[in-house]
Amino acid sequence: MRADRLLILLLLLQTRGRVTAQTLAKRLEVSERTIYRDLEALSLAGVAVYAERGPGGGWKLLEDYRTNLTRLTETEVNTLFMSGVAGPITDLGLGKAGEDALLKLLAALPTVYRRNAERARQRIHLDAAGWFHREEEVPYLQVVQEAVWNDHRLRITYQRGDLDLVERLVDPYGLVAKASIWYLVAASAGEMRVYRVSRIHAVEMTEEGFERPADFDLRAFWAQWSAEFETSLWRYPVTLRVAPGAVPILTHVLGDWVQALVKQADPADAEGWITLSLLFEGLPQARSRLFGLGTMVEVLEPQELRDSLAEFAARITTFYGR
């Protein structure tokens, strides 16, 4: 409804300061033309909204303008009590504060909202951790968080993927918890980098501050970086023949995403086998995952993977045949 959109638009301007029409249109999932009409409607209604032109411009409210239309709806209240961020909040040392905040909110709610909030908490729980995931030790997380909060440079000793230790002076822009694993987003030598906090072996918060870019958006950066990271991991193409009836097992081993490839595959051959093209992280990962499928799949390409599977099978046969 337009009234709801106008309210959200007003609250966005109040909480974010200067915002471009393009950003507002993306957030509210409407066209920029609709945003301009809504902004005009707010202005006609007496809301002190105006545009700043030029580079870095956008729409904003007068500095002293505030609205008191911030009452939570019942759905918004229920959402707060279903949130599944208890683990990351506890990691930051804010577990008790989070519980107290929800308790105060619960006490301030009308009776009907309070009853429904408790009902939502008891019936829906969001668990952010993956299966078989062991919590990582992050002894330096609170120091990193303090530096992020106060815009202080960090000097870290970091273990890279190849196990080498490197020292870096970084500008910490933000922290991200993905499936209960903490990552530090930081600038180092003019380049944006992402560090897994559990791999930080030593950290020192310096007295030197840094200027955080005004246009840096942590959520937008993480969405783009994580998408590029996932794409970069899967770069080893494999062509397979899959036996009749083996697709459910293949899905169990590799994941549900295989089902989409099966639907797009060419019709089965005379023996009922289908051909699929998959991507893996590399040869070792492809071999370890496909080896357990035995003769239910046949690797057509690459030849090095065929040779590796055959050599691995021969070694196991020799080992157990002694």
Side-chain angles (χ1 to χ4, degrees):
M1 295 177 60
R2 191 187 186 203
D4 293 335
R5 190 174 70 243
L6 289 175
L7 176 57
I8 297 298
L9 176 59
L10 180 57
L11 294 177
L12 286 171
L13 292 171
Q14 181 173 307
T15 56
R16 296 191 181 183
R18 186 186 300 108
V19 190
T20 66
Q22 182 181 17
T23 300
L24 291 170
K26 185 177 180 180
R27 169 63 176 80
L28 295 172
E29 299 180 345
V30 295
S31 67
E32 289 187 42
R33 180 177 297 181
T34 298
I35 290 297
Y36 286 123
R37 286 200 297 265
D38 288 348
L39 289 166
E40 182 180 359
L42 288 177
S43 180
L44 292 174
V47 176
V49 58
Y50 67 97
E52 288 188 349
R53 309 296 180 184
W59 291 85
K60 63 181 301 184
L61 299 173
L62 288 178
E63 293 295 333
D64 58 349
Y65 183 87
R66 287 293 181 270
T67 176
N68 60 359
L69 300 176
T70 54
R71 182 177 63 85
L72 293 173
T73 67
E74 184 175 359
T75 302
E76 292 164 347
V77 170
N78 292 344
T79 301
L80 287 175
F81 282 89
M82 288 188 297
S83 63
V85 295
I89 290 294
T90 302
D91 290 341
L92 293 173
L94 301 174
K96 181 65 165 57
E99 292 176 4
D100 290 347
L102 288 177
L103 181 61
K104 291 176 181 177
L105 174 60
L106 194 62
L109 291 173
T111 303
V112 174
Y113 279 22
R114 186 160 58 244
R115 184 166 54 247
N116 287 344
E118 178 63 19
R119 182 184 180 89
R121 190 179 71 85
Q122 291 292 349
R123 283 164 173 75
I124 301 177
H125 173 65
L126 307 181
D127 186 355
W131 286 109
F132 311 110
H133 170 69
R134 296 181 61 186
E135 299 224 350
E136 296 186 337
E137 296 292 332
V138 282
Y140 302 112
L141 179 60
Q142 294 192 26
V143 177
V144 173
Q145 179 205 4
E146 184 178 352
V148 168
W149 193 257
N150 294 301
D151 294 338
H152 276 250
R153 286 198 167 100
L154 283 172
R155 184 172 286 105
I156 64 174
T157 300
Y158 186 73
Q159 184 182 58
R160 302 189 313 192
D162 58 9
L163 303 184
D164 284 347
L165 293 178
V166 295
E167 289 191 1
R168 296 267 168 81
L169 183 66
V170 303
D171 296 347
Y173 284 6
L175 282 165
V176 175
K178 183 175 179 63
S180 299
I181 297 177
W182 283 98
Y183 296 91
L184 168 66
V185 176
S188 177
E191 182 180 354
M192 292 300 299
R193 298 176 181 269
V194 175
Y195 301 92
R196 192 161 174 161
V197 177
S198 62
R199 292 184 182 174
I200 296 178
H201 284 234
V203 64
E204 174 191 355
M205 185 169 62
T206 71
E207 295 297 324
E208 184 180 3
F210 68 92
E211 186 173 349
R212 181 189 179 90
D215 60 349
F216 178 74
D217 186 320
L218 179 61
R219 180 178 296 183
F221 170 83
W222 181 260
Q224 179 179 350
W225 180 88
S226 56
E228 292 174 353
F229 177 71
E230 287 182 346
T231 302
S232 69
L233 282 180
W234 303 88
R235 57 181 181 272
Y236 190 77
V238 175
T239 303
L240 289 177
R241 287 181 73 229
V242 182
V247 170
I249 301 174
L250 190 67
T251 301
H252 177 73
V253 173
L254 300 180
D256 291 337
W257 55 271
V258 175
Q259 292 287 353
L261 297 180
V262 172
K263 293 179 181 178
Q264 300 167 10
D266 293 333
D269 61 19
E271 298 176 333
W273 292 58
I274 61 173
T275 301
L276 299 178
S277 296
L278 309 179
L279 288 174
F280 293 87
E281 300 96 314
L283 187 150
Q285 291 82 2
R287 183 184 63 192
S288 65
R289 293 192 180 186
L290 297 177
F291 190 82
L293 294 169
T295 57
M296 290 184 292
V297 299
E298 178 191 0
V299 174
L300 301 179
E301 294 179 341
Q303 184 62 43
E304 64 172 353
L305 178 57
R306 288 176 60 94
D307 295 341
S308 180
L309 283 166
E311 186 267 340
F312 203 64
R315 283 165 49 193
I316 291 178
T317 301
T318 301
F319 180 81
Y320 283 102
R322 287 184 299 190

